[in-house]
Amino acid sequence: MMRISRTAFVTALTLFTLAACTSEKSETSEPDSPRYVKLADVSNIPNFDEFTFPAVVSAVKTVDLSFEVSGRLIQTDLVTGNDIEKGKLLATIDRKPFERRMEESKTRLEQSERELNRIEKMFSQKLVAQSTLDSAKTSYELAMLDLKNAEQDLSYTQLYAPFDAKLSQRLVENNSFVAAGTPIARLQDVSKIYFNINVPERLLTANLGRGIKQASATLATNRSQWYPVSYVEHSTQPDPVSQTYEVVFAMEPRDELPLTPGARAIVKVSLQGSMYPEGLVVPVKSLVGDENNGFAVWIFDKATSRVTKQAVNVKHIENELAIIEGDISLGQRVVSAGATKMTADMKVLPYKGEK
């Protein structure tokens, strides 16, 4: 059996003790070793007054044309894509049945008039009762109304363009039988070009009370040229699915901007005033904490190269920036990367690669 000498044991014990002391000294001195961190300046609030939205081009209004009476189409001038002037005759249904009815109504009216004249003479001679005269007057008035209805129905057999428009769709063919109220064509009012955008609820709420300074639009496929547009209207109830509000802008048609309903576009809106008149800005990554327990940032002290935790109130987050309020000043620097690893009074050094 191997025996360890007393001298060898003492030597080993001494080496172990020295190693332990060295390790303890290293652990004790480790907190004094500075950590390299990325810093960011506390800055003023930038102008959050310009927003860009995808848009869809639409017509001022879209109308489905239909006849007020039923009949067979005998004439149409419905070419899809054509520009149509107000008052243009677009379609006609067979007028002959309506013309015959109007002639019948005229004949009944003439007969009722003759009968009324005869009864009035007899009444003046006290040969008929008052009730007979009243019946004759009623028959005459009903015949007159029937003629007016027949004339109106005859006028309904021809369909005219109600406004300057573009024919977007033909829904029936010539010689078809169409019932009253059945759409035969779809017209789009393109006297102006409408741009429809959807604004998120949070963005609309945050900017309540701010007027529109200016707005412009362009094609989604070519953003080299922007054109001024004007505000028209906006919805007051959000979409139940997307929780966005529809806002409409308009512009006069331009020959150099070939836009048709359904085309994709871009709308840029600049607002008046400031969304947050007070506050400062730091990177979002510099924030530590949460909504329940509150937020804070680590402020760097250049004189001591140490950090101090400072509670802040987060007012708004936009992209990678946070608008804050609190006991913090413009020009101070905060830890913008690795903030969650900071501890009170920790010694840090700015990262050399920081720009």
Side-chain angles (χ1 to χ4, degrees), residues 98-341:
F98 300 91
E99 291 172 344
R100 287 194 297 268
R101 184 191 165 195
M102 190 178 70
E103 291 300 324
E104 292 174 358
S105 298
K106 284 182 179 179
T107 301
R108 291 195 189 96
L109 179 61
E110 293 172 355
Q111 181 181 5
S112 298
E113 186 178 13
R114 291 193 298 267
E115 181 66 13
L116 177 60
N117 291 335
R118 187 179 69 85
I119 296 297
E120 286 177 338
K121 289 180 180 179
M122 294 177 65
F123 180 78
S124 64
Q125 298 173 3
K126 298 182 180 181
L127 298 176
V128 294
Q130 179 69 45
S131 59
T132 303
L133 177 62
D134 293 340
S135 296
K137 287 181 177 180
T138 300
S139 297
Y140 174 76
E141 291 171 356
L142 290 175
M144 184 177 293
L145 289 174
D146 187 61
L147 176 59
K148 289 181 178 179
N149 289 334
E151 291 173 341
Q152 185 179 57
D153 288 347
L154 179 61
S155 68
Y156 287 157
T157 60
Q158 292 182 314
L159 203 58
Y160 296 88
F163 48 80
D164 293 341
K166 182 180 289 292
L167 182 64
S168 67
Q169 192 174 3
R170 181 179 62 250
L171 304 175
V172 297
E173 298 299 332
N174 201 17
N175 296 317
S176 301
F177 181 87
V178 292
T182 301
I184 68 165
R186 183 163 295 155
L187 297 185
Q188 293 176 326
D189 182 353
V190 290
S191 57
K192 287 187 177 181
I193 303 299
Y194 274 8
F195 297 86
N196 301 73
I197 66 174
N198 292 304
V199 179
E201 183 178 16
R202 63 172 183 82
L203 186 59
L204 186 69
T205 303
N207 289 278
L208 287 176
R210 301 181 68 191
I212 297 174
K213 185 192 309 181
Q214 63 180 14
S216 55
T218 188
L219 288 170
T221 55
N222 182 9
R223 305 188 187 186
S224 59
Q225 180 66 44
W226 291 82
Y227 301 89
V229 294
S230 58
Y231 165 82
V232 177
E233 62 182 3
H234 72 276
S235 61
T236 57
Q237 292 185 339
D239 182 273
V241 178
S242 63
Q243 290 298 302
T244 58
Y245 293 82
E246 185 179 55
V247 183
V248 182
F249 292 85
M251 66 177 289
E252 298 292 334
R254 292 175 176 267
D255 294 336
E256 70 273 21
L257 189 64
L259 289 173
T260 56
R264 298 291 173 179
I266 302 293
V267 171
K268 183 165 55 180
V269 182
S270 297
L271 301 180
Q272 297 174 344
S274 175
M275 182 167 58
Y276 300 98
E278 298 180 357
L280 296 170
V281 170
V282 296
V284 171
K285 292 182 179 180
S286 67
L287 298 175
V288 293
D290 52 48
E291 292 183 1
N292 295 328
N293 301 314
F295 290 97
V297 294
W298 290 98
I299 300 177
F300 173 70
D301 186 343
K302 185 177 181 180
T304 62
S305 296
R306 297 185 183 276
V307 294
T308 304
K309 192 174 186 180
Q310 176 60 54
V312 295
N313 178 30
V314 178
K315 298 181 63 178
H316 178 70
I317 292 178
E318 185 75 23
N319 297 326
E320 297 181 355
L321 298 178
I323 300 176
I324 63 171
E325 283 184 339
D327 190 9
I328 190 169
S329 304
L330 182 67
Q332 287 185 312
R333 309 193 79 189
V334 296
V335 178
S336 61
T340 56
K341 298 180 180 180

